[in-house]
Amino acid sequence: MSRKPKKGYFVRGQFVAEGSELDEELKREQREGGPSKTELKAQSAELQDLGEQLLTLRAGLFEPLALPARLVDALDELRRISNFEGRRRQSQFVGKQMRLLNDAQIAAIRAALEEQHKGSAADTLRLHAAEQWRERLLADDAAAGAWAAQFPGTDLQQLRALVRQARKDAPPAAEANHAQTTGQAPRHGRAYRELFQLLRDALAQADGA
């Protein structure tokens, strides 16, 4: 015999049965015009998570926020705690301090975290671009001219010298193939690394300009 389906409705993807505690709460909040306990709990969890993300924010973005001393102290304590239960309790305290901030302070925190995220994404793209240019320069002599055309401030003599030395220091094909099949990175000489550094610095300078 099949069960009779419960009467209810969905709120933000969650089924609410008629007559349930959540149903009564939502109806009461509708009458009063304020947020429900569920919404307040979600907001609290979001602010706690936002507070924990502050631990990842670099000093140049964190300090201008001028956060309350009690929140800064709570974050410092959270950073020091390694015990799981201790961290859980301290994270809750950080969330409590976050709830004392006003909307402008919360917006500033979100903006700082977003700025750092964008910077990290740009750094990753720059690293990939430097790797691609390095492989292109090592594979094709004409690539040096293409690089010089895009980055005329580069010391072309130094660039060519590093390319030549990196080619000389390159591991034999058999060693490179073995490293690839075993999942290991092939060994490269100093010029290979210095070439990458030169390319990355030039790309960073161009982005800054």
Side-chain angles (χ1 to χ4, degrees):
M1 184 174 179
S2 61
R3 286 185 177 183
K4 187 177 180 180
K6 291 183 178 180
K7 292 183 178 181
Y9 51 92
F10 285 88
V11 176
R12 294 183 294 277
Q14 180 182 358
F15 180 77
V16 181
E18 287 188 5
S20 67
E21 183 179 346
L22 182 56
D23 176 41
E24 294 299 324
E25 179 187 331
L26 290 172
K27 288 179 179 177
R28 183 174 62 255
E29 296 300 339
Q30 282 182 347
R31 291 194 298 269
E32 297 175 358
S36 67
K37 289 183 180 179
T38 303
E39 290 172 331
L40 290 174
K41 187 175 181 180
Q43 292 171 5
S44 178
E46 182 186 7
L47 286 175
Q48 180 175 323
D49 179 65
L50 195 66
E52 292 175 7
Q53 290 181 52
L54 283 169
L55 294 177
T56 68
L57 200 59
R58 63 178 184 267
L61 292 172
F62 182 88
E63 292 172 0
L65 294 173
L67 298 173
R70 198 167 186 186
L71 174 57
V72 174
D73 291 342
L75 289 168
D76 288 340
E77 184 65 21
L78 179 60
R79 187 178 287 108
R80 287 192 292 268
I81 296 175
S82 57
N83 175 268
F84 175 81
E85 181 59 24
R87 284 190 64 85
R88 185 185 68 80
R89 290 196 300 267
Q90 187 64 19
S91 292
Q92 290 177 340
F93 182 70
V94 167
K96 181 179 179 181
Q97 297 305 310
M98 289 290 293
R99 292 194 292 275
L100 299 177
L101 301 180
N102 58 42
D103 291 344
Q105 290 171 310
I106 296 297
I109 290 173
R110 294 186 191 280
L113 289 167
E114 180 65 20
E115 183 177 344
Q116 177 163 282
H117 174 72
K118 289 180 179 178
S120 299
D123 289 341
T124 301
L125 290 173
R126 194 178 300 121
L127 291 176
H128 288 322
E131 290 172 352
Q132 292 169 357
W133 267 109
R134 179 173 60 184
E135 297 310 310
R136 183 179 170 186
L137 287 162
L138 293 175
D140 184 6
D141 288 335
W147 171 271
Q150 290 191 39
F151 306 94
T154 305
D155 184 338
L156 198 55
Q157 184 176 356
Q158 180 189 13
L159 177 71
R160 293 184 188 279
L162 287 173
V163 168
R164 287 194 299 269
Q165 189 60 46
R167 287 173 178 170
K168 290 180 182 179
D169 297 340
E175 182 180 333
N177 291 335
H178 175 72
Q180 186 174 8
T181 56
T182 56
Q184 299 175 345
R187 292 178 297 175
H188 291 283
R190 181 178 177 181
Y192 186 82
R193 296 187 296 273
E194 290 184 353
L195 176 60
F196 176 81
Q197 184 67 45
L198 183 150
L199 298 173
R200 187 180 65 178
D201 289 349
L203 288 165
Q205 186 176 1
D207 288 344

